[in-house]
Amino acid sequence: MLVLLPPSETKQPGGDGPPLRLESLSSPSLGPMRAALIDELVDLAADRPAARRALGISASQDAEIDRNAALRSAPTMPAIQRYSGVLYDALDIESLRGATASRAHARLAIASALFGLLRADDAVPAYRLSATSKLPGQPGLPARWRPLLEPVLAEIAASQLVVDLRSGSYVALGRVPGAVDVQVLAEHPDGRRTVVSHFNKAHKGRLARALASSRSEPNDAAAVAAIARRAGMRVERRGTQLTVVVPA
């Protein structure tokens, strides 16, 4: 099983790994696009107003542009440690030990607007680029990534179950055939259900932790739902669509 996580805009700074080596990353067929995007981001960093527009940030966030300028020389750390925020706090990968930690590292992957797809131990620098960013003179990132990323995802899905926890903008970079999709809905006292916004990420992080650390090897959506229920989550299934239901 592969659990495909969304990235986060917030990332841990620094790292103790050597500068980025694209040839060492998983899914090497994505290397040329990774290299092209890095070149574009480094060049764009020289024009701060243009970089702000492309990245959707304000002048108070210029440190993000500095990160992009240093992409080739900045220190790296494993991707699963690089990303931070609500989902990754709930996943709490650092608290796992021994065989459970090894299992989690093997099962987790992260979508990335810059790298396409990362495995947990791929060493990457901090950067700023989201799926909705529009780099000057280029098509949108979905149009650029989809022809390259979808064959990679299809090959993975042909050999193992994929549980897709990505948000819509990252799903647009490349769909996974036959994936188990997950949504989180809040149930109100009157029975109404609404989409969970901020805490959606926390519940997906809890689910990712349960799946990544489970001794079970699920091969369909029903087995994924069973793992989630054992972890105390209320889950409904319709085909390959899982709905995590939480109190409003």
Side-chain angles (χ1 to χ4, degrees):
M1 172 181 59
L2 184 79
V3 182
L4 183 51
L5 305 174
S8 61
E9 294 289 8
T10 55
K11 298 174 183 66
Q12 299 289 355
D16 57 10
L20 178 65
R21 295 175 57 233
L22 288 177
E23 66 276 12
S24 72
L25 299 182
S26 59
S27 303
S29 64
L30 304 180
M33 178 59 74
R34 292 164 172 165
L37 290 172
I38 288 169
D39 287 345
E40 291 169 31
L41 287 177
V42 171
D43 291 345
L44 183 61
D47 184 341
R48 287 183 181 266
R52 291 177 198 134
R53 289 192 298 271
L55 301 175
I57 61 175
S58 66
S60 65
Q61 297 171 288
D62 275 1
E64 302 281 7
I65 300 174
D66 295 335
R67 284 180 167 183
N68 286 350
L71 273 169
R72 296 193 187 99
S73 59
T76 59
M77 68 172 65
I80 199 63
Q81 297 172 19
R82 175 65 72 190
Y83 296 93
S84 59
V86 174
L87 186 150
Y88 290 89
D89 288 344
L91 172 61
D92 194 14
I93 191 74
E94 293 298 313
S95 68
L96 300 179
R97 297 289 182 269
T100 302
S102 297
R103 193 159 47 242
H105 278 252
R107 286 178 173 173
L108 293 170
I110 304 163
S112 168
L114 178 55
F115 298 106
L117 180 69
L118 293 168
R119 300 306 292 251
D121 293 329
D122 282 336
V124 293
Y127 66 92
R128 180 65 178 241
L129 185 70
S130 67
T132 56
S133 298
K134 180 68 166 61
L135 299 179
Q138 296 290 346
L141 289 173
R144 301 179 71 182
W145 269 122
R146 198 178 300 118
L148 302 171
L149 189 55
E150 287 194 339
V152 171
L153 294 171
E155 183 176 0
I156 292 171
S159 63
Q160 60 187 311
L161 183 70
V162 176
V163 180
D164 194 347
L165 302 182
R166 296 175 298 168
S167 58
S169 60
Y170 284 90
V171 171
L173 299 185
R175 297 188 179 275
V176 186
V180 176
D181 295 314
V182 178
Q183 65 174 342
V184 181
L185 296 179
E187 187 170 76
H188 298 259
D190 62 3
R192 288 182 304 111
R193 290 181 175 181
T194 55
V195 175
V196 177
S197 54
H198 179 70
F199 288 105
N200 167 66
K201 296 177 182 178
H203 294 297
K204 285 188 174 181
R206 287 179 56 211
L207 177 59
R209 180 182 176 89
L211 295 175
S213 59
S214 174
R215 291 182 180 178
S216 300
E217 189 62 57
N219 57 12
D220 59 22
V224 171
I227 293 172
R229 291 177 186 129
R230 288 198 294 271
M233 305 181 80
R234 180 182 169 192
V235 179
E236 299 173 355
R237 180 178 67 87
R238 178 175 293 179
T240 59
Q241 175 74 55
L242 298 186
T243 300
V244 177
V245 183
V246 299

PDB file of all heavy atoms in Angstrom, residues 169-207:
ATOM      1  N   SER A 169      -6.289  20.384  -5.853  1.00  0.00           N
ATOM      2  CA  SER A 169      -5.296  21.027  -6.718  1.00  0.00           C
ATOM      3  C   SER A 169      -4.119  20.102  -6.999  1.00  0.00           C
ATOM      4  O   SER A 169      -3.485  20.195  -8.065  1.00  0.00           O
ATOM      5  CB  SER A 169      -4.807  22.338  -6.091  1.00  0.00           C
ATOM      6  OG  SER A 169      -4.213  22.103  -4.828  1.00  0.00           O
ATOM      7  N   TYR A 170      -3.817  19.197  -6.075  1.00  0.00           N
ATOM      8  CA  TYR A 170      -2.714  18.256  -6.302  1.00  0.00           C
ATOM      9  C   TYR A 170      -3.178  17.013  -7.047  1.00  0.00           C
ATOM     10  O   TYR A 170      -2.399  16.421  -7.804  1.00  0.00           O
ATOM     11  CB  TYR A 170      -2.027  17.913  -4.975  1.00  0.00           C
ATOM     12  CG  TYR A 170      -1.142  19.055  -4.543  1.00  0.00           C
ATOM     13  CD1 TYR A 170      -1.634  20.065  -3.739  1.00  0.00           C
ATOM     14  CD2 TYR A 170       0.153  19.172  -5.016  1.00  0.00           C
ATOM     15  CE1 TYR A 170      -0.852  21.154  -3.385  1.00  0.00           C
ATOM     16  CE2 TYR A 170       0.957  20.256  -4.679  1.00  0.00           C
ATOM     17  CZ  TYR A 170       0.442  21.248  -3.870  1.00  0.00           C
ATOM     18  OH  TYR A 170       1.220  22.325  -3.548  1.00  0.00           O
ATOM     19  N   VAL A 171      -4.427  16.630  -6.872  1.00  0.00           N
ATOM     20  CA  VAL A 171      -4.985  15.562  -7.707  1.00  0.00           C
ATOM     21  C   VAL A 171      -4.916  15.969  -9.174  1.00  0.00           C
ATOM     22  O   VAL A 171      -4.653  15.143 -10.056  1.00  0.00           O
ATOM     23  CB  VAL A 171      -6.439  15.252  -7.299  1.00  0.00           C
ATOM     24  CG1 VAL A 171      -7.096  14.312  -8.308  1.00  0.00           C
ATOM     25  CG2 VAL A 171      -6.488  14.647  -5.903  1.00  0.00           C
ATOM     26  N   ALA A 172      -5.099  17.272  -9.451  1.00  0.00           N
ATOM     27  CA  ALA A 172      -5.073  17.772 -10.829  1.00  0.00           C
ATOM     28  C   ALA A 172      -3.705  17.608 -11.478  1.00  0.00           C
ATOM     29  O   ALA A 172      -3.598  17.603 -12.714  1.00  0.00           O
ATOM     30  CB  ALA A 172      -5.493  19.237 -10.864  1.00  0.00           C
ATOM     31  N   LEU A 173      -2.646  17.448 -10.688  1.00  0.00           N
ATOM     32  CA  LEU A 173      -1.312  17.243 -11.259  1.00  0.00           C
ATOM     33  C   LEU A 173      -1.151  15.844 -11.845  1.00  0.00           C
ATOM     34  O   LEU A 173      -0.270  15.615 -12.666  1.00  0.00           O
ATOM     35  CB  LEU A 173      -0.230  17.468 -10.196  1.00  0.00           C
ATOM     36  CG  LEU A 173      -0.137  18.855  -9.561  1.00  0.00           C
ATOM     37  CD1 LEU A 173       1.069  18.908  -8.625  1.00  0.00           C
ATOM     38  CD2 LEU A 173      -0.056  19.949 -10.604  1.00  0.00           C
ATOM     39  N   GLY A 174      -1.994  14.913 -11.406  1.00  0.00           N
ATOM     40  CA  GLY A 174      -1.896  13.548 -11.902  1.00  0.00           C
ATOM     41  C   GLY A 174      -2.832  12.648 -11.127  1.00  0.00           C
ATOM     42  O   GLY A 174      -2.705  12.526  -9.907  1.00  0.00           O
ATOM     43  N   ARG A 175      -3.777  12.028 -11.807  1.00  0.00           N
ATOM     44  CA  ARG A 175      -4.742  11.156 -11.141  1.00  0.00           C
ATOM     45  C   ARG A 175      -4.181   9.741 -11.018  1.00  0.00           C
ATOM     46  O   ARG A 175      -3.324   9.318 -11.793  1.00  0.00           O
ATOM     47  CB  ARG A 175      -6.069  11.154 -11.901  1.00  0.00           C
ATOM     48  CG  ARG A 175      -6.712  12.536 -11.917  1.00  0.00           C
ATOM     49  CD  ARG A 175      -8.112  12.540 -12.497  1.00  0.00           C
ATOM     50  NE  ARG A 175      -8.677  13.879 -12.456  1.00  0.00           N
ATOM     51  CZ  ARG A 175      -9.297  14.404 -11.405  1.00  0.00           C
ATOM     52  NH1 ARG A 175      -9.452  13.671 -10.315  1.00  0.00           N
ATOM     53  NH2 ARG A 175      -9.770  15.624 -11.437  1.00  0.00           N
ATOM     54  N   VAL A 176      -4.708   9.024 -10.028  1.00  0.00           N
ATOM     55  CA  VAL A 176      -4.264   7.656  -9.763  1.00  0.00           C
ATOM     56  C   VAL A 176      -5.407   6.697 -10.084  1.00  0.00           C
ATOM     57  O   VAL A 176      -6.447   6.739  -9.420  1.00  0.00           O
ATOM     58  CB  VAL A 176      -3.853   7.470  -8.292  1.00  0.00           C
ATOM     59  CG1 VAL A 176      -3.252   6.076  -8.093  1.00  0.00           C
ATOM     60  CG2 VAL A 176      -2.877   8.546  -7.861  1.00  0.00           C
ATOM     61  N   PRO A 177      -5.259   5.839 -11.073  1.00  0.00           N
ATOM     62  CA  PRO A 177      -6.354   4.915 -11.408  1.00  0.00           C
ATOM     63  C   PRO A 177      -6.620   3.933 -10.271  1.00  0.00           C
ATOM     64  O   PRO A 177      -5.701   3.341  -9.718  1.00  0.00           O
ATOM     65  CB  PRO A 177      -5.836   4.191 -12.654  1.00  0.00           C
ATOM     66  CG  PRO A 177      -4.348   4.348 -12.611  1.00  0.00           C
ATOM     67  CD  PRO A 177      -4.085   5.663 -11.952  1.00  0.00           C
ATOM     68  N   GLY A 178      -7.903   3.803  -9.906  1.00  0.00           N
ATOM     69  CA  GLY A 178      -8.285   2.835  -8.880  1.00  0.00           C
ATOM     70  C   GLY A 178      -7.936   3.195  -7.463  1.00  0.00           C
ATOM     71  O   GLY A 178      -8.063   2.360  -6.554  1.00  0.00           O
ATOM     72  N   ALA A 179      -7.511   4.422  -7.225  1.00  0.00           N
ATOM     73  CA  ALA A 179      -7.112   4.817  -5.875  1.00  0.00           C
ATOM     74  C   ALA A 179      -8.307   4.871  -4.931  1.00  0.00           C
ATOM     75  O   ALA A 179      -9.447   5.113  -5.349  1.00  0.00           O
ATOM     76  CB  ALA A 179      -6.416   6.180  -5.904  1.00  0.00           C
ATOM     77  N   VAL A 180      -8.036   4.662  -3.662  1.00  0.00           N
ATOM     78  CA  VAL A 180      -9.030   4.890  -2.615  1.00  0.00           C
ATOM     79  C   VAL A 180      -8.982   6.381  -2.279  1.00  0.00           C
ATOM     80  O   VAL A 180      -7.950   6.886  -1.829  1.00  0.00           O
ATOM     81  CB  VAL A 180      -8.727   4.050  -1.365  1.00  0.00           C
ATOM     82  CG1 VAL A 180      -9.722   4.380  -0.250  1.00  0.00           C
ATOM     83  CG2 VAL A 180      -8.755   2.568  -1.703  1.00  0.00           C
ATOM     84  N   ASP A 181     -10.082   7.082  -2.525  1.00  0.00           N
ATOM     85  CA  ASP A 181     -10.158   8.519  -2.249  1.00  0.00           C
ATOM     86  C   ASP A 181     -10.830   8.745  -0.904  1.00  0.00           C
ATOM     87  O   ASP A 181     -11.735   7.996  -0.508  1.00  0.00           O
ATOM     88  CB  ASP A 181     -10.940   9.238  -3.344  1.00  0.00           C
ATOM     89  CG  ASP A 181     -10.225   9.162  -4.686  1.00  0.00           C
ATOM     90  OD1 ASP A 181      -9.003   9.409  -4.719  1.00  0.00           O
ATOM     91  OD2 ASP A 181     -10.883   8.848  -5.696  1.00  0.00           O
ATOM     92  N   VAL A 182     -10.414   9.792  -0.209  1.00  0.00           N
ATOM     93  CA  VAL A 182     -10.904  10.058   1.136  1.00  0.00           C
ATOM     94  C   VAL A 182     -11.399  11.493   1.239  1.00  0.00           C
ATOM     95  O   VAL A 182     -10.718  12.426   0.806  1.00  0.00           O
ATOM     96  CB  VAL A 182      -9.793   9.827   2.185  1.00  0.00           C
ATOM     97  CG1 VAL A 182     -10.299  10.145   3.593  1.00  0.00           C
ATOM     98  CG2 VAL A 182      -9.276   8.386   2.119  1.00  0.00           C
ATOM     99  N   GLN A 183     -12.600  11.655   1.803  1.00  0.00           N
ATOM    100  CA  GLN A 183     -13.096  12.980   2.142  1.00  0.00           C
ATOM    101  C   GLN A 183     -13.465  12.996   3.623  1.00  0.00           C
ATOM    102  O   GLN A 183     -13.726  11.949   4.226  1.00  0.00           O
ATOM    103  CB  GLN A 183     -14.313  13.360   1.297  1.00  0.00           C
ATOM    104  CG  GLN A 183     -15.539  12.496   1.531  1.00  0.00           C
ATOM    105  CD  GLN A 183     -16.767  12.989   0.785  1.00  0.00           C
ATOM    106  OE1 GLN A 183     -16.816  14.140   0.346  1.00  0.00           O
ATOM    107  NE2 GLN A 183     -17.751  12.121   0.624  1.00  0.00           N
ATOM    108  N   VAL A 184     -13.468  14.191   4.210  1.00  0.00           N
ATOM    109  CA  VAL A 184     -13.829  14.356   5.619  1.00  0.00           C
ATOM    110  C   VAL A 184     -15.040  15.269   5.688  1.00  0.00           C
ATOM    111  O   VAL A 184     -15.020  16.381   5.149  1.00  0.00           O
ATOM    112  CB  VAL A 184     -12.665  14.952   6.431  1.00  0.00           C
ATOM    113  CG1 VAL A 184     -13.053  15.089   7.908  1.00  0.00           C
ATOM    114  CG2 VAL A 184     -11.407  14.101   6.293  1.00  0.00           C
ATOM    115  N   LEU A 185     -16.115  14.809   6.354  1.00  0.00           N
ATOM    116  CA  LEU A 185     -17.332  15.587   6.506  1.00  0.00           C
ATOM    117  C   LEU A 185     -17.680  15.727   7.979  1.00  0.00           C
ATOM    118  O   LEU A 185     -17.505  14.788   8.767  1.00  0.00           O
ATOM    119  CB  LEU A 185     -18.509  14.930   5.770  1.00  0.00           C
ATOM    120  CG  LEU A 185     -18.408  14.821   4.242  1.00  0.00           C
ATOM    121  CD1 LEU A 185     -19.639  14.128   3.691  1.00  0.00           C
ATOM    122  CD2 LEU A 185     -18.238  16.198   3.600  1.00  0.00           C
ATOM    123  N   ALA A 186     -18.169  16.915   8.331  1.00  0.00           N
ATOM    124  CA  ALA A 186     -18.639  17.167   9.697  1.00  0.00           C
ATOM    125  C   ALA A 186     -20.135  16.939   9.762  1.00  0.00           C
ATOM    126  O   ALA A 186     -20.880  17.444   8.921  1.00  0.00           O
ATOM    127  CB  ALA A 186     -18.307  18.599  10.108  1.00  0.00           C
ATOM    128  N   GLU A 187     -20.578  16.176  10.756  1.00  0.00           N
ATOM    129  CA  GLU A 187     -22.003  15.902  10.922  1.00  0.00           C
ATOM    130  C   GLU A 187     -22.571  16.766  12.041  1.00  0.00           C
ATOM    131  O   GLU A 187     -22.091  16.719  13.179  1.00  0.00           O
ATOM    132  CB  GLU A 187     -22.224  14.422  11.222  1.00  0.00           C
ATOM    133  CG  GLU A 187     -23.686  14.020  11.246  1.00  0.00           C
ATOM    134  CD  GLU A 187     -23.873  12.518  11.314  1.00  0.00           C
ATOM    135  OE1 GLU A 187     -23.668  11.964  12.415  1.00  0.00           O
ATOM    136  OE2 GLU A 187     -24.173  11.905  10.268  1.00  0.00           O
ATOM    137  N   HIS A 188     -23.608  17.531  11.723  1.00  0.00           N
ATOM    138  CA  HIS A 188     -24.253  18.425  12.686  1.00  0.00           C
ATOM    139  C   HIS A 188     -25.332  17.675  13.450  1.00  0.00           C
ATOM    140  O   HIS A 188     -25.795  16.602  13.022  1.00  0.00           O
ATOM    141  CB  HIS A 188     -24.842  19.624  11.948  1.00  0.00           C
ATOM    142  CG  HIS A 188     -23.811  20.454  11.242  1.00  0.00           C
ATOM    143  ND1 HIS A 188     -23.325  21.638  11.746  1.00  0.00           N
ATOM    144  CD2 HIS A 188     -23.142  20.248  10.067  1.00  0.00           C
ATOM    145  CE1 HIS A 188     -22.428  22.138  10.924  1.00  0.00           C
ATOM    146  NE2 HIS A 188     -22.290  21.309   9.900  1.00  0.00           N
ATOM    147  N   PRO A 189     -25.767  18.213  14.603  1.00  0.00           N
ATOM    148  CA  PRO A 189     -26.808  17.548  15.396  1.00  0.00           C
ATOM    149  C   PRO A 189     -28.091  17.266  14.616  1.00  0.00           C
ATOM    150  O   PRO A 189     -28.787  16.287  14.897  1.00  0.00           O
ATOM    151  CB  PRO A 189     -27.054  18.533  16.546  1.00  0.00           C
ATOM    152  CG  PRO A 189     -25.753  19.243  16.699  1.00  0.00           C
ATOM    153  CD  PRO A 189     -25.220  19.387  15.310  1.00  0.00           C
ATOM    154  N   ASP A 190     -28.400  18.102  13.617  1.00  0.00           N
ATOM    155  CA  ASP A 190     -29.618  17.876  12.830  1.00  0.00           C
ATOM    156  C   ASP A 190     -29.404  16.915  11.670  1.00  0.00           C
ATOM    157  O   ASP A 190     -30.307  16.708  10.851  1.00  0.00           O
ATOM    158  CB  ASP A 190     -30.177  19.207  12.320  1.00  0.00           C
ATOM    159  CG  ASP A 190     -29.212  19.933  11.380  1.00  0.00           C
ATOM    160  OD1 ASP A 190     -28.134  19.374  11.080  1.00  0.00           O
ATOM    161  OD2 ASP A 190     -29.521  21.066  10.950  1.00  0.00           O
ATOM    162  N   GLY A 191     -28.220  16.331  11.586  1.00  0.00           N
ATOM    163  CA  GLY A 191     -27.942  15.361  10.540  1.00  0.00           C
ATOM    164  C   GLY A 191     -27.282  15.935   9.305  1.00  0.00           C
ATOM    165  O   GLY A 191     -26.826  15.178   8.434  1.00  0.00           O
ATOM    166  N   ARG A 192     -27.246  17.258   9.191  1.00  0.00           N
ATOM    167  CA  ARG A 192     -26.585  17.868   8.036  1.00  0.00           C
ATOM    168  C   ARG A 192     -25.088  17.549   8.065  1.00  0.00           C
ATOM    169  O   ARG A 192     -24.493  17.457   9.127  1.00  0.00           O
ATOM    170  CB  ARG A 192     -26.754  19.385   8.039  1.00  0.00           C
ATOM    171  CG  ARG A 192     -28.121  19.905   7.722  1.00  0.00           C
ATOM    172  CD  ARG A 192     -28.131  21.437   7.717  1.00  0.00           C
ATOM    173  NE  ARG A 192     -27.642  21.980   8.984  1.00  0.00           N
ATOM    174  CZ  ARG A 192     -26.495  22.629   9.142  1.00  0.00           C
ATOM    175  NH1 ARG A 192     -25.686  22.822   8.111  1.00  0.00           N
ATOM    176  NH2 ARG A 192     -26.154  23.103  10.337  1.00  0.00           N
ATOM    177  N   ARG A 193     -24.512  17.442   6.872  1.00  0.00           N
ATOM    178  CA  ARG A 193     -23.076  17.232   6.771  1.00  0.00           C
ATOM    179  C   ARG A 193     -22.455  18.326   5.935  1.00  0.00           C
ATOM    180  O   ARG A 193     -23.007  18.707   4.899  1.00  0.00           O
ATOM    181  CB  ARG A 193     -22.762  15.861   6.162  1.00  0.00           C
ATOM    182  CG  ARG A 193     -23.105  14.710   7.090  1.00  0.00           C
ATOM    183  CD  ARG A 193     -22.761  13.372   6.482  1.00  0.00           C
ATOM    184  NE  ARG A 193     -22.983  12.291   7.444  1.00  0.00           N
ATOM    185  CZ  ARG A 193     -22.741  11.016   7.187  1.00  0.00           C
ATOM    186  NH1 ARG A 193     -22.254  10.651   5.993  1.00  0.00           N
ATOM    187  NH2 ARG A 193     -22.961  10.102   8.115  1.00  0.00           N
ATOM    188  N   THR A 194     -21.335  18.819   6.398  1.00  0.00           N
ATOM    189  CA  THR A 194     -20.632  19.882   5.686  1.00  0.00           C
ATOM    190  C   THR A 194     -19.161  19.525   5.566  1.00  0.00           C
ATOM    191  O   THR A 194     -18.633  18.714   6.346  1.00  0.00           O
ATOM    192  CB  THR A 194     -20.766  21.233   6.416  1.00  0.00           C
ATOM    193  OG1 THR A 194     -20.321  21.081   7.776  1.00  0.00           O
ATOM    194  CG2 THR A 194     -22.212  21.716   6.415  1.00  0.00           C
ATOM    195  N   VAL A 195     -18.521  20.121   4.595  1.00  0.00           N
ATOM    196  CA  VAL A 195     -17.096  19.873   4.375  1.00  0.00           C
ATOM    197  C   VAL A 195     -16.292  20.473   5.522  1.00  0.00           C
ATOM    198  O   VAL A 195     -16.538  21.603   5.944  1.00  0.00           O
ATOM    199  CB  VAL A 195     -16.644  20.472   3.035  1.00  0.00           C
ATOM    200  CG1 VAL A 195     -15.134  20.324   2.859  1.00  0.00           C
ATOM    201  CG2 VAL A 195     -17.388  19.802   1.884  1.00  0.00           C
ATOM    202  N   VAL A 196     -15.348  19.709   6.038  1.00  0.00           N
ATOM    203  CA  VAL A 196     -14.444  20.193   7.069  1.00  0.00           C
ATOM    204  C   VAL A 196     -13.301  20.932   6.387  1.00  0.00           C
ATOM    205  O   VAL A 196     -12.727  20.435   5.407  1.00  0.00           O
ATOM    206  CB  VAL A 196     -13.889  19.024   7.909  1.00  0.00           C
ATOM    207  CG1 VAL A 196     -12.886  19.526   8.938  1.00  0.00           C
ATOM    208  CG2 VAL A 196     -15.031  18.287   8.592  1.00  0.00           C
ATOM    209  N   SER A 197     -12.982  22.116   6.864  1.00  0.00           N
ATOM    210  CA  SER A 197     -11.922  22.882   6.220  1.00  0.00           C
ATOM    211  C   SER A 197     -10.586  22.647   6.918  1.00  0.00           C
ATOM    212  O   SER A 197      -9.847  21.717   6.579  1.00  0.00           O
ATOM    213  CB  SER A 197     -12.280  24.373   6.203  1.00  0.00           C
ATOM    214  OG  SER A 197     -12.577  24.827   7.519  1.00  0.00           O
ATOM    215  N   HIS A 198     -10.271  23.459   7.921  1.00  0.00           N
ATOM    216  CA  HIS A 198      -8.954  23.397   8.560  1.00  0.00           C
ATOM    217  C   HIS A 198      -8.669  22.016   9.151  1.00  0.00           C
ATOM    218  O   HIS A 198      -7.611  21.429   8.917  1.00  0.00           O
ATOM    219  CB  HIS A 198      -8.869  24.470   9.640  1.00  0.00           C
ATOM    220  CG  HIS A 198      -7.560  24.484  10.380  1.00  0.00           C
ATOM    221  ND1 HIS A 198      -6.380  24.895   9.806  1.00  0.00           N
ATOM    222  CD2 HIS A 198      -7.248  24.115  11.643  1.00  0.00           C
ATOM    223  CE1 HIS A 198      -5.395  24.799  10.682  1.00  0.00           C
ATOM    224  NE2 HIS A 198      -5.900  24.327  11.811  1.00  0.00           N
ATOM    225  N   PHE A 199      -9.610  21.478   9.911  1.00  0.00           N
ATOM    226  CA  PHE A 199      -9.339  20.222  10.620  1.00  0.00           C
ATOM    227  C   PHE A 199      -9.434  19.003   9.712  1.00  0.00           C
ATOM    228  O   PHE A 199      -9.157  17.886  10.139  1.00  0.00           O
ATOM    229  CB  PHE A 199     -10.253  20.099  11.835  1.00  0.00           C
ATOM    230  CG  PHE A 199      -9.865  21.046  12.936  1.00  0.00           C
ATOM    231  CD1 PHE A 199     -10.609  22.177  13.180  1.00  0.00           C
ATOM    232  CD2 PHE A 199      -8.718  20.819  13.690  1.00  0.00           C
ATOM    233  CE1 PHE A 199     -10.235  23.064  14.185  1.00  0.00           C
ATOM    234  CE2 PHE A 199      -8.332  21.698  14.683  1.00  0.00           C
ATOM    235  CZ  PHE A 199      -9.094  22.822  14.934  1.00  0.00           C
ATOM    236  N   ASN A 200      -9.839  19.205   8.460  1.00  0.00           N
ATOM    237  CA  ASN A 200      -9.748  18.149   7.463  1.00  0.00           C
ATOM    238  C   ASN A 200      -8.338  17.566   7.441  1.00  0.00           C
ATOM    239  O   ASN A 200      -8.149  16.343   7.369  1.00  0.00           O
ATOM    240  CB  ASN A 200     -10.127  18.735   6.103  1.00  0.00           C
ATOM    241  CG  ASN A 200      -9.769  17.832   4.951  1.00  0.00           C
ATOM    242  OD1 ASN A 200     -10.313  16.760   4.801  1.00  0.00           O
ATOM    243  ND2 ASN A 200      -8.836  18.283   4.127  1.00  0.00           N
ATOM    244  N   LYS A 201      -7.352  18.436   7.536  1.00  0.00           N
ATOM    245  CA  LYS A 201      -5.960  17.997   7.466  1.00  0.00           C
ATOM    246  C   LYS A 201      -5.581  17.148   8.674  1.00  0.00           C
ATOM    247  O   LYS A 201      -4.858  16.154   8.545  1.00  0.00           O
ATOM    248  CB  LYS A 201      -5.038  19.210   7.349  1.00  0.00           C
ATOM    249  CG  LYS A 201      -5.245  20.003   6.075  1.00  0.00           C
ATOM    250  CD  LYS A 201      -4.354  21.236   6.051  1.00  0.00           C
ATOM    251  CE  LYS A 201      -4.583  22.057   4.799  1.00  0.00           C
ATOM    252  NZ  LYS A 201      -3.746  23.284   4.785  1.00  0.00           N
ATOM    253  N   ALA A 202      -6.082  17.523   9.850  1.00  0.00           N
ATOM    254  CA  ALA A 202      -5.763  16.761  11.053  1.00  0.00           C
ATOM    255  C   ALA A 202      -6.333  15.351  10.969  1.00  0.00           C
ATOM    256  O   ALA A 202      -5.660  14.368  11.310  1.00  0.00           O
ATOM    257  CB  ALA A 202      -6.295  17.480  12.288  1.00  0.00           C
ATOM    258  N   HIS A 203      -7.562  15.227  10.482  1.00  0.00           N
ATOM    259  CA  HIS A 203      -8.176  13.900  10.388  1.00  0.00           C
ATOM    260  C   HIS A 203      -7.476  13.049   9.330  1.00  0.00           C
ATOM    261  O   HIS A 203      -7.299  11.836   9.514  1.00  0.00           O
ATOM    262  CB  HIS A 203      -9.660  14.039  10.070  1.00  0.00           C
ATOM    263  CG  HIS A 203     -10.443  14.690  11.180  1.00  0.00           C
ATOM    264  ND1 HIS A 203     -10.568  14.123  12.428  1.00  0.00           N
ATOM    265  CD2 HIS A 203     -11.099  15.875  11.239  1.00  0.00           C
ATOM    266  CE1 HIS A 203     -11.289  14.916  13.199  1.00  0.00           C
ATOM    267  NE2 HIS A 203     -11.624  15.980  12.495  1.00  0.00           N
ATOM    268  N   LYS A 204      -7.062  13.667   8.230  1.00  0.00           N
ATOM    269  CA  LYS A 204      -6.303  12.912   7.233  1.00  0.00           C
ATOM    270  C   LYS A 204      -4.940  12.500   7.784  1.00  0.00           C
ATOM    271  O   LYS A 204      -4.426  11.426   7.459  1.00  0.00           O
ATOM    272  CB  LYS A 204      -6.156  13.729   5.950  1.00  0.00           C
ATOM    273  CG  LYS A 204      -7.446  13.787   5.134  1.00  0.00           C
ATOM    274  CD  LYS A 204      -7.226  14.433   3.782  1.00  0.00           C
ATOM    275  CE  LYS A 204      -8.492  14.351   2.917  1.00  0.00           C
ATOM    276  NZ  LYS A 204      -8.282  14.952   1.579  1.00  0.00           N
ATOM    277  N   GLY A 205      -4.349  13.344   8.614  1.00  0.00           N
ATOM    278  CA  GLY A 205      -3.088  12.978   9.241  1.00  0.00           C
ATOM    279  C   GLY A 205      -3.240  11.788  10.176  1.00  0.00           C
ATOM    280  O   GLY A 205      -2.382  10.892  10.214  1.00  0.00           O
ATOM    281  N   ARG A 206      -4.341  11.746  10.936  1.00  0.00           N
ATOM    282  CA  ARG A 206      -4.621  10.603  11.814  1.00  0.00           C
ATOM    283  C   ARG A 206      -4.802   9.330  10.992  1.00  0.00           C
ATOM    284  O   ARG A 206      -4.302   8.264  11.355  1.00  0.00           O
ATOM    285  CB  ARG A 206      -5.881  10.871  12.637  1.00  0.00           C
ATOM    286  CG  ARG A 206      -5.738  11.870  13.756  1.00  0.00           C
ATOM    287  CD  ARG A 206      -7.078  12.055  14.464  1.00  0.00           C
ATOM    288  NE  ARG A 206      -7.603  10.779  14.937  1.00  0.00           N
ATOM    289  CZ  ARG A 206      -8.895  10.499  15.039  1.00  0.00           C
ATOM    290  NH1 ARG A 206      -9.811  11.391  14.657  1.00  0.00           N
ATOM    291  NH2 ARG A 206      -9.283   9.323  15.508  1.00  0.00           N
ATOM    292  N   LEU A 207      -5.535   9.458   9.887  1.00  0.00           N
ATOM    293  CA  LEU A 207      -5.744   8.292   9.032  1.00  0.00           C
ATOM    294  C   LEU A 207      -4.423   7.818   8.428  1.00  0.00           C
ATOM    295  O   LEU A 207      -4.144   6.614   8.379  1.00  0.00           O
ATOM    296  CB  LEU A 207      -6.744   8.628   7.931  1.00  0.00           C
ATOM    297  CG  LEU A 207      -7.016   7.526   6.904  1.00  0.00           C
ATOM    298  CD1 LEU A 207      -7.547   6.267   7.583  1.00  0.00           C
ATOM    299  CD2 LEU A 207      -7.986   8.018   5.832  1.00  0.00           C
TER     300      LEU A 207
END
